[in-house]
């Protein structure tokens, strides 16, 4: 027999349900109309360098810089970088800045027909070295902590391994694919030749954003339905709805992929799986991953269905000096590096702790050793 409710409890429950029904109706109308969208990428920043569509952002705020060298985040080529700075209070960038780190972001912008000929060399040997030169000018620091997210990690690793003048104190690979044999359905279609790169490239010479969204949708076609059901259940909760809107916007907000780089990626990384050999040809030289400078942190998420841990884990045996490699295994999925409860509870604190432990702490009146790379 179910316990009876006293009149006070019953009135409280009815009142709560009525209030939630009102909030569900209000938030549902706002969601359908697309109003009251949350502000994304809100951490204050300045553009300190640009070339073509690429921009280097320097973030402001926080208690001041306590640790060096500066952290330079190299974002992926296929999604918007604001996933790492999604919302105030739920932002990896904000967390790092508040921990006393100097943070930069290399954002690639939105490619168009002028960028169709961009290749891996464009990013590894062109944009990235010049952006890091701008970091040195801005900060006076010779070294950097280079943190690559997803395909940005591949670019960062190739830079750190392929240049004698790379001053990389620390190399962080976040959800970075190394073994493309472990990737998902769309990659398998390309690997097996059932889908050709030119089938996906449009009149601009690039892979359109819609094609990339479709590829990610193939990885988990029922996820969107489950997410909508969860939204309906929590529609009364303003904070939940705001977070859902932010993630929904990012998940659909892909950017075109430059055609030349895409063809290279398919041929070298997907079909030849060249990174698993430990070296890859970029331009006129062979880059050996073991030559990557700095302490290496390989960070992977246990439930990542975009870049599974099995695709990332080989970096632990291939990238950098074996004595200077470490792993960070995290709960959550692909976006755990940028947002969500798991990110705030696990990813951000552990990532920040590793960076500060591999940095120099500044003291008032003391010339920071990392400014000269000493």
């Amino acid at each position: 027999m179910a316990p009876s409710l006293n009149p006070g409890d019953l009135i409280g429950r009815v009142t709560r349900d009525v209030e939630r029904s009102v909030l569900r109706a209000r938030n549902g109308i706002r969601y359908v109309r697309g109003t009251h969208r949350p502000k994304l990428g809100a951490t204050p920043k300045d553009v300190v360098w640009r070339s073509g569509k690429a921009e280097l952002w320097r973030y402001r705020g926080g208690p001041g810089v306590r640790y060096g060298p500066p952290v330079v985040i190299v974002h992926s080529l296929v999604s918007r970088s604001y996933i790492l700075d999604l919302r105030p209070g739920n932002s990896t960038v904000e967390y790092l800045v508040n921990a006393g780190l100097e943070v930069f972001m290399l954002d690639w912008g939105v490619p168009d027909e002028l960028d169709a000929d961009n290749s891996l060399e464009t990013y590894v040997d062109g944009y990235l070295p010049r952006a890091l030169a701008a970091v040195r000018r801005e900060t006076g620091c010779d070294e950097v902590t280079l943190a690559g997210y997803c395909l940005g990690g591949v670019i960062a690793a190739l830079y750190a391994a392929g240049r004698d003048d790379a001053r990389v104190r620390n190399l962080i690979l976040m959800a970075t694919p190394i073994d493309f044999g472990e990737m998902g359905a769309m990659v398998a279609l390309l690997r097996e030749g059932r889908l050709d790169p030119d089938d996906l490239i449009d009149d601009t010479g690039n892979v359109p954003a819609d094609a990339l969204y479709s590829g990610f949708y193939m990885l988990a076609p029922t996820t969107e339905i489950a997410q909508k059901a969860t939204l309906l259940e929590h529609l009364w909760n303003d904070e939940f709805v705001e977070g859902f809107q932010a993630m929904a916007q990012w998940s659909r907000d892909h950017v075109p992929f430059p055609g030349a780089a895409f063809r290279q990626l398919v041929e070298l990384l997907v079909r030849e799986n060249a990174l698993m050999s430990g070296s890859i040809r970029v331009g006129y030289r062979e880059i050996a991953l073991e030559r990557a400078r700095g302490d290496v942190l390989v960070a992977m998420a246990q439930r990542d269905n975009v870049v599974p841990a099995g695709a990332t884990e080989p970096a632990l045996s291939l990238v950098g000096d074996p004595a200077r490699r470490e792993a960070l295994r995290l709960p959550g999925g692909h976006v755990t590096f940028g947002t969500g409860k798991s990110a705030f509870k696990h990813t951000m604190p552990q990532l920040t702790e590793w960076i500060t432990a591999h940095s120099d702490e500044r003291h008032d009146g003391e010339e920071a050793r990392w400014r000269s790379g000493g």
Side-chain angles (χ1 to χ4, degrees), residues 61-125:
V65 179
R66 290 180 50 208
Y67 300 95
V71 177
V72 182
I73 300 171
V74 182
H75 193 64
S76 178
L77 293 173
V78 296
S79 62
R80 301 279 191 164
S81 61
Y82 62 75
I83 186 59
L84 299 175
D85 184 29
L86 197 64
R87 294 188 301 142
N90 199 355
S91 160
T92 294
V93 166
E94 181 186 58
Y95 197 100
L96 294 172
V97 169
N98 287 339
L101 290 157
E102 193 162 18
V103 181
F104 293 78
M105 174 85 76
L106 182 52
D107 178 86
W108 304 115
V110 182
D112 58 23
E113 61 274 9
L114 298 177
D115 305 290
D117 292 331
N118 286 3
S119 61
L120 283 176
E121 292 84 358
T122 304
Y123 300 99
V124 175
D125 295 330

Side-chain angles (χ1 to χ4, degrees), residues 48-71:
V48 296
W49 172 87
R50 60 165 52 92
S51 179
K53 309 296 190 306
E55 291 186 344
L56 179 69
W57 301 335
R58 185 181 193 178
Y59 291 93
R60 293 183 272 113
V65 179
R66 290 180 50 208
Y67 300 95
V71 177

Side-chain angles (χ1 to χ4, degrees), residues 17-72:
D17 289 345
V18 169
E19 289 175 347
R20 289 187 175 183
S21 295
V22 172
L23 290 172
R24 282 193 181 97
R26 184 199 67 183
N27 289 342
I29 292 170
R30 287 177 175 178
Y31 181 80
V32 171
R33 293 174 60 186
T35 60
H36 294 78
R37 292 186 181 278
K39 186 176 181 181
L40 310 178
T43 303
K45 59 182 179 288
D46 300 303
V47 178
V48 296
W49 172 87
R50 60 165 52 92
S51 179
K53 309 296 190 306
E55 291 186 344
L56 179 69
W57 301 335
R58 185 181 193 178
Y59 291 93
R60 293 183 272 113
V65 179
R66 290 180 50 208
Y67 300 95
V71 177
V72 182

Side-chain angles (χ1 to χ4, degrees), residues 287-347:
I287 296 179
L289 295 176
E290 66 181 4
R291 296 190 63 227
R293 274 69 173 172
D295 293 323
V296 178
L297 179 67
V298 180
M300 63 200 88
Q302 294 170 348
R303 298 196 305 277
D304 192 334
N305 68 343
V306 177
V307 183
T312 300
E313 199 160 16
L316 286 167
S317 59
L318 293 171
V319 181
D321 183 339
R324 302 177 70 180
R325 300 169 185 152
E326 296 180 60
L328 179 59
R329 293 178 171 84
L330 300 159
H334 195 64
V335 298
T336 194
F337 295 97
T339 187
K341 291 182 180 179
S342 181
F344 202 81
K345 184 177 180 180
H346 300 285
T347 307

Side-chain angles (χ1 to χ4, degrees), residues 328-373:
L328 179 59
R329 293 178 171 84
L330 300 159
H334 195 64
V335 298
T336 194
F337 295 97
T339 187
K341 291 182 180 179
S342 181
F344 202 81
K345 184 177 180 180
H346 300 285
T347 307
M348 296 177 194
Q350 292 184 63
L351 192 62
T352 302
E353 182 180 357
W354 189 91
I355 294 172
T356 56
H358 291 77
S359 301
D360 298 318
E361 186 169 5
R362 297 178 58 180
H363 301 284
D364 291 340
E366 177 185 67
E367 182 67 21
R369 178 168 61 88
W370 44 268
R371 286 200 175 273
S372 60

